[in-house]
Amino acid sequence: MSTFQAPKGTYDLIPPNSATYLAVREAISVPLRNSSHGYIETPGFENVELFARGVGESTDIVTKEMYAFETKGGDKLALRPEGTASVLRAALEANLHKGGNLPVKLWYSGSYYRYERPQKGRYRHFSQVGAEAIGAEDPALDAELIILAHQAYRSLGLRDFRILLNSLGDKECRPVYRAALQDFLRGLQLDEDTRRRIEINPLRVLDDKREAVQEQLIGAPMLRDYLCEACKTYHEQVRELLTAAGVAFEDDPKLVRGLDYYTRTTFEFVHDGLGSQSAVGGGGRYDGLSEMIGGPALPSVGWALGVDRTVLALEAEGITLDIPAATAVYAVPLGEEARRVLFGKVTELRRAGVATDFAYGGKGLKNAMKSANRSGARLALVAGERDLAEGVVQLKDLVSGEQTAIALDAVVDEVRRALG
Ligand code: ATP
Ligand code: MG
């Protein structure tokens, strides 16, 4: 071990487990790419003001969890704690919304940073794959995104997840509800931090995980009783579309989510095998966000799925993904001449698209065959002086142990045939 370790709250992705992470990112992106989402990549840091305004000054993310810093040049930046504000900023900056083709559908995949108390499923560096549909108000769009996330999880083989669904209302009905909730909350026995929250962001109190708080919330006014007609109709349509698609969900009138920008549809994917870090992904509609960061009115909806927790969910369900072995063919030369010839064959095989590796470092036969087996290869190519003199190499099936001599100049064809 070296003197250095990964910083607190972070971990390295290393083989073989890293292959699962890649496969999860891939699986989540497949339904997105198949539904007209274009790939977007934004910087790992942004002007701190973007998150303060976009995510919300009163959120835990901005007040406690953000890595904010000043550069040598005096710029105030922050490592990105989430993706939506950056993606919307980039879309506005590039005028994607003016192309006359709304919604603008985008997907992303990357690292996010939050200064949190590290525990299983909660890290200071984590990764998300996300999707945003910018500039259209249509319940089918909300439903589409939920259906795509559901499809992604299903394609990974996950079963023990649930979809929680709620509507947060809009700028007509939410303020009325907010005031009613504040009245109710002000009468409760709460600590000072929570009392402050009542004044800044009362809806978040509903989300308090503490038993003592939850007990007092029984009888609290519920947003669904305050939704205006437009929000009610909209929400009903989202629910109907999900039901028609065969995607089961649970109405969760207390689901508020930790970001300020959500309006109307909000949802969370929770997995029952993850203990207290049960949210594997979440999202919702954010009709006011564009204006909050200085853009035009652009009603939008999106989600982000956590890659780390999705991997933990796979483990919890005992699912191992079917990941093809990194190596299909392993070449073992015996002697200098064989080394030269077989190295040439390795290059040829790779150029033909066959995943091939080579016994480097002048290993003896026994050691080289051990490496061949460990590599997960189906086939070994073994050649010594005598084989070369006869113009052949030995093709060994590492599963059956069967060995056949094949012509040197037919290696690529023979290997392909043997691999099926
Ligand atoms: P939580 O309530 O668990 O803190 P969140 O509401 O803050 O989650 P979002 O901001 O909605 O999470 O991010 C979407 C997803 O990203 C989460 O469902 C989760 O899978 C993942 N995620 C968020 N924060 C972390 C973290 N610190 N470590 C690992 N994954 C995370
Ligand atoms: Mg959080």
Side-chain angles (χ1 to χ4, degrees):
M1 204 168 78
S2 91
T3 336
F4 297 107
Q5 291 175 5
K8 185 174 173 189
T10 72
Y11 63 102
D12 303 305
L13 295 182
I14 44 182
N17 296 351
S18 50
T20 306
Y21 283 76
L22 278 181
V24 166
R25 289 190 187 121
E26 171 68 17
I28 298 173
S29 76
V30 167
L32 298 176
R33 285 181 280 149
N34 193 38
S35 52
S36 311
H37 292 79
Y39 179 68
I40 183 165
E41 204 164 306
T42 63
F45 50 83
E46 296 273 353
N47 193 315
V48 69
E49 214 26 51
L50 173 70
F51 300 119
R53 283 210 245 158
V55 178
E57 299 272 17
S58 73
T59 59
D60 282 354
I61 293 182
V62 169
T63 55
K64 299 186 193 145
E65 300 172 1
M66 203 153 65
Y67 283 89
F69 58 98
E70 193 170 320
T71 66
K72 291 190 173 68
D75 293 329
K76 293 192 167 63
L77 304 177
L79 298 186
R80 57 183 183 189
E82 60 102 49
T84 303
S86 308
V87 168
L88 189 54
R89 193 269 307 141
L92 291 171
E93 189 171 335
N95 283 322
L96 296 187
H97 60 296
K98 290 187 183 158
N101 194 18
L102 297 175
V104 177
K105 291 170 139 191
L106 301 166
W107 76 275
Y108 60 86
S109 171
S111 292
Y112 296 85
Y113 307 87
R114 295 183 193 175
Y115 190 75
E116 303 212 57
R117 195 166 68 76
Q119 47 199 300
K120 188 165 189 197
R122 188 175 296 286
Y123 312 104
R124 291 180 173 178
H125 165 259
F126 58 96
S127 55
Q128 292 182 337
V129 176
E132 315 289 351
I134 298 165
E137 190 184 272
D138 184 337
L141 208 49
D142 308 40
E144 167 176 285
L145 277 172
I146 297 172
I147 293 166
L148 293 173
H150 177 268
Q151 191 184 332
Y153 285 139
R154 277 302 174 87
S155 77
L156 286 164
L158 290 169
R159 315 208 115 257
D160 300 341
F161 65 88
R162 291 177 290 131
I163 300 172
L164 309 180
L165 185 69
N166 193 18
S167 172
L168 290 182
D170 63 7
K171 58 177 185 298
E172 300 303 318
C173 51
R174 192 147 87 219
V176 182
Y177 169 70
R178 190 177 186 272
L181 181 63
Q182 277 176 325
D183 273 351
F184 174 87
L185 294 174
R186 285 187 192 121
L188 303 183
Q189 298 294 315
L190 297 165
D191 59 279
E192 205 174 310
D193 245 15
T194 313
R195 299 196 73 85
R196 208 170 305 127
R197 191 167 285 162
I198 295 173
E199 304 311 318
I200 326 171
N201 197 340
L203 271 71
R204 298 266 342 276
V205 180
L206 296 177
D207 207 20
D208 202 307
K209 302 279 189 291
R210 291 170 298 179
E211 191 96 5
V213 177
Q214 281 302 324
E215 272 169 16
Q216 297 190 68
L217 292 176
I218 295 164
M222 282 294 144
L223 185 46
R224 73 169 157 217
D225 301 324
Y226 286 75
L227 291 183
C228 61
E229 277 313 308
C231 285
K232 251 189 232 163
T233 310
Y234 194 95
H235 196 55
E236 204 37 56
Q237 286 186 45
V238 174
R239 296 174 79 257
E240 275 166 20
L241 290 164
L242 291 176
T243 305
V247 171
F249 57 87
E250 295 168 23
D251 292 306
D252 181 352
K254 280 200 200 153
L255 181 74
V256 294
R257 314 213 9 85
L259 297 85
D260 274 357
Y261 52 59
Y262 287 114
T263 50
R264 290 197 169 170
T265 315
T266 43
F267 50 88
E268 201 157 87
F269 285 76
V270 294
H271 193 277
D272 291 324
L274 295 186
S276 50
Q277 266 57 253
S278 63
V280 285
R285 182 156 275 284
Y286 49 93
D287 293 341
L289 179 58
S290 175
E291 286 154 298
M292 281 156 78
I293 64 170
L298 281 173
S300 307
V301 57
W303 52 239
L305 309 188
V307 176
D308 311 73
R309 289 188 198 168
T310 303
V311 171
L312 292 174
L314 289 171
E315 286 168 14
E317 288 198 41
I319 299 169
T320 28
L321 299 180
D322 196 11
I323 295 165
T327 311
V329 180
Y330 195 96
V332 177
L334 305 170
E336 265 318 298
E337 175 65 1
R339 210 173 125 74
R340 200 181 50 72
V341 174
L342 270 194
F343 188 72
K345 291 297 162 193
V346 166
T347 304
E348 250 183 75
L349 282 165
R350 288 175 178 165
R351 285 179 179 154
V354 180
T356 309
D357 203 3
F358 186 71
Y360 292 102
K363 292 185 187 91
L365 179 62
K366 209 171 142 198
N367 234 333
M369 290 312 290
K370 247 193 221 161
S371 299
N373 280 308
R374 249 187 242 135
S375 76
R378 278 263 312 279
L379 304 171
L381 282 175
V382 187
E385 309 285 291
R386 210 192 308 155
D387 298 307
L388 296 183
E390 289 170 16
V392 299
V393 298
Q394 303 296 325
L395 181 67
K396 182 167 181 176
D397 186 311
L398 291 171
V399 180
S400 67
E402 206 174 296
Q403 186 168 313
T404 43
I406 58 171
L408 247 183
D409 48 18
V411 164
V412 173
D413 287 343
E414 292 290 344
V415 161
R416 275 202 176 132
R417 186 172 313 149
L419 289 173

